[in-house]
Amino acid sequence: MAFGFPLVLPSKYACGFDPIASLPTQRHLTQMLRDISNLSLQFILDQSIALLLAEFSALGLLVGDCISLDTKHIIAWVKENNPKAYIRERFNKYKQRTGDPDCKLGCKRRHNRQVLEPSITPANYSVPANTIAVGEYYWDTVQGSLLLKFQSGVS
């Protein structure tokens, strides 16, 4: 039993268990991911990397010739991301959110506009700067994946 999910052990799957009968539903998994501590996830990541490096070393593979990194933000499960909710300090990055203690304030889309010449403040029809939208801000967490290219090593 891993992570509280009993494994059903049929012989027809090469992985040694029936993934459809053994793995949790999406609802159960997302609830578990919300409840698990960051320290536990960091431990799993560190131990997974250590096991992979030990396996690569046993196979004689050299690590780290080519590295690719990709990140994906996941919008946090907090009330500050609900545009219909009235929240006084919605985008105060120094106030940690209670719904997801690991989330940070981030920008999903940002429009970078290059100003060719400095604009002069118009005498008529001026627009306050705090009403101009330059991006979409959310409280989110970031997940990353790392890809390494290996070459066979010679002992």
Side-chain angles (χ1 to χ4, degrees), residues 60-75:
L61 296 174
L62 301 176
V63 179
D65 285 344
C66 180
I67 299 174
S68 176
L69 177 68
D70 186 24
T71 59
K72 172 72 177 149
H73 77 276
I74 298 173
I75 295 178

Side-chain angles (χ1 to χ4, degrees), residues 82-128:
N82 181 358
K84 294 181 181 180
Y86 173 75
I87 295 150
R88 184 173 300 177
E89 294 181 329
R90 182 181 305 268
F91 299 117
N92 182 355
K93 67 179 182 179
Y94 301 108
K95 182 181 175 190
Q96 187 58 46
R97 307 302 152 189
T98 57
D100 186 354
D102 296 325
C103 70
K104 303 286 185 225
L105 183 63
C107 185
K108 183 175 179 183
R109 291 185 188 94
R110 184 169 175 92
H111 307 288
N112 295 328
R113 297 184 186 110
Q114 187 176 24
V115 179
L116 299 176
E117 57 184 53
S119 61
I120 301 170
T121 305
N124 298 332
Y125 307 113
S126 60
V127 178

Side-chain angles (χ1 to χ4, degrees), residues 23 27 29 32 35 42 97 104 118 120 122 138-139 145 153:
L23 298 178
R27 182 177 178 185
L29 181 63
M32 185 194 75
D35 294 341
Q42 289 297 324
R97 307 302 152 189
K104 303 286 185 225
I120 301 170
Y138 293 100
W139 287 90
S145 56

Side-chain angles (χ1 to χ4, degrees), residues 1-154:
M1 180 150 67
F3 291 111
F5 307 122
L7 296 179
V8 178
L9 304 170
S11 60
K12 67 179 184 177
Y13 291 99
C15 60
F17 65 95
D18 183 358
I20 296 171
S22 300
L23 298 178
T25 63
Q26 180 181 0
R27 182 177 178 185
H28 188 191
L29 181 63
T30 55
Q31 182 64 43
M32 185 194 75
L33 290 175
R34 279 189 217 122
D35 294 341
I36 195 167
S37 70
N38 187 21
L39 188 62
S40 298
L41 293 173
Q42 289 297 324
F43 175 78
I44 292 169
L45 176 65
D46 292 342
Q47 293 305 309
S48 299
I49 291 171
L51 288 171
L52 286 171
L53 291 176
E55 184 68 24
F56 296 152
S57 177
L59 294 174
L61 296 174
L62 301 176
V63 179
D65 285 344
C66 180
I67 299 174
S68 176
L69 177 68
D70 186 24
T71 59
K72 172 72 177 149
H73 77 276
I74 298 173
I75 295 178
W77 193 267
V78 293
K79 64 183 175 183
E80 286 79 8
N81 286 335
N82 181 358
K84 294 181 181 180
Y86 173 75
I87 295 150
R88 184 173 300 177
E89 294 181 329
R90 182 181 305 268
F91 299 117
N92 182 355
K93 67 179 182 179
Y94 301 108
K95 182 181 175 190
Q96 187 58 46
R97 307 302 152 189
T98 57
D100 186 354
D102 296 325
C103 70
K104 303 286 185 225
L105 183 63
C107 185
K108 183 175 179 183
R109 291 185 188 94
R110 184 169 175 92
H111 307 288
N112 295 328
R113 297 184 186 110
Q114 187 176 24
V115 179
L116 299 176
E117 57 184 53
S119 61
I120 301 170
T121 305
N124 298 332
Y125 307 113
S126 60
V127 178
N130 65 354
T131 62
I132 299 172
V134 292
E136 296 177 27
Y137 292 91
Y138 293 100
W139 287 90
D140 60 5
T141 56
V142 176
Q143 300 238 340
S145 56
L146 180 66
L147 177 67
L148 301 172
K149 181 180 176 184
F150 299 103
Q151 294 181 354
S152 295
V154 178

